[in-house]
Amino acid sequence: MEEIFNIIIEITSVNEVNGNGATVKMISFKGRCQGRYFNGEIMDGGVDTQFISEKEGGNVSARYMMKGVDNKLNPCKVFIENEGAVNSQGDMKTIPRIVTDSAELSWLQDKNLYGSVAVENDNKLHVRIYV
């Protein structure tokens, strides 16, 4: 697998509702992306919705748009929809989907992508996307 994006996340707010056997959190965030193919910032409106059920475990669904430059330094935007689940060890694996207006990055729209989410050595949340 090749890493295509390393997205460093900063949480800006959390809204939560606790129901009978389930909790839903909507987490707003900002951040930046570093990588070989794209460098830029998360635009306003990024949100991660987490559904945590006592019976079913946890599912996550994040949607956000980034503005920056592609690997040829062309200005562009990248939209990411990242769906995933938390396993019993607390690891989060995701399946991202990408839409972009960059001709250089358009190949990402047709690839099977994989992601991981973890707090790393810098104590920041990193979303890594691989092809």
Side-chain angles (χ1 to χ4, degrees), residues 11-70:
I11 294 171
T12 57
S13 68
V14 178
N15 292 302
E16 183 175 320
V17 62
N18 294 298
N20 186 15
T23 299
V24 176
K25 295 180 183 181
M26 293 188 72
I27 303 167
S28 299
F29 58 88
K30 62 182 183 177
R32 67 186 190 284
C33 179
Q34 300 170 230
R36 174 178 163 196
Y37 296 102
F38 176 84
N39 287 281
E41 301 288 324
I42 295 174
M43 299 169 67
D44 288 343
V47 66
D48 178 20
T49 304
Q50 298 182 356
F51 180 87
I52 303 148
S53 167
E54 292 174 2
K55 294 179 183 177
E56 300 171 24
N59 293 307
V60 298
S61 177
R63 290 174 178 82
Y64 49 100
M65 196 171 297
M66 301 184 294
K67 185 176 185 177
V69 294
D70 63 22

Side-chain angles (χ1 to χ4, degrees), residues 25-122:
K25 295 180 183 181
M26 293 188 72
I27 303 167
S28 299
F29 58 88
K30 62 182 183 177
R32 67 186 190 284
C33 179
Q34 300 170 230
R36 174 178 163 196
Y37 296 102
F38 176 84
N39 287 281
E41 301 288 324
I42 295 174
M43 299 169 67
D44 288 343
V47 66
D48 178 20
T49 304
Q50 298 182 356
F51 180 87
I52 303 148
S53 167
E54 292 174 2
K55 294 179 183 177
E56 300 171 24
N59 293 307
V60 298
S61 177
R63 290 174 178 82
Y64 49 100
M65 196 171 297
M66 301 184 294
K67 185 176 185 177
V69 294
D70 63 22
N71 54 325
K72 299 291 184 184
L73 300 180
N74 296 313
C76 65
K77 292 180 184 173
V78 175
F79 168 80
I80 297 178
E81 179 179 62
N82 212 0
E83 305 278 340
V86 180
N87 67 22
S88 59
Q89 290 80 32
D91 297 327
M92 191 180 305
K93 302 296 182 195
T94 65
I95 304 294
R97 182 169 43 184
I98 290 177
V99 176
T100 182
D101 60 1
S102 166
E104 291 295 321
L105 301 179
S106 63
W107 60 275
L108 293 171
Q109 296 181 159
D110 299 321
K111 291 290 184 182
N112 290 324
L113 303 173
Y114 308 92
S116 66
V117 180
V119 175
E120 297 192 5
N121 293 337
D122 60 2

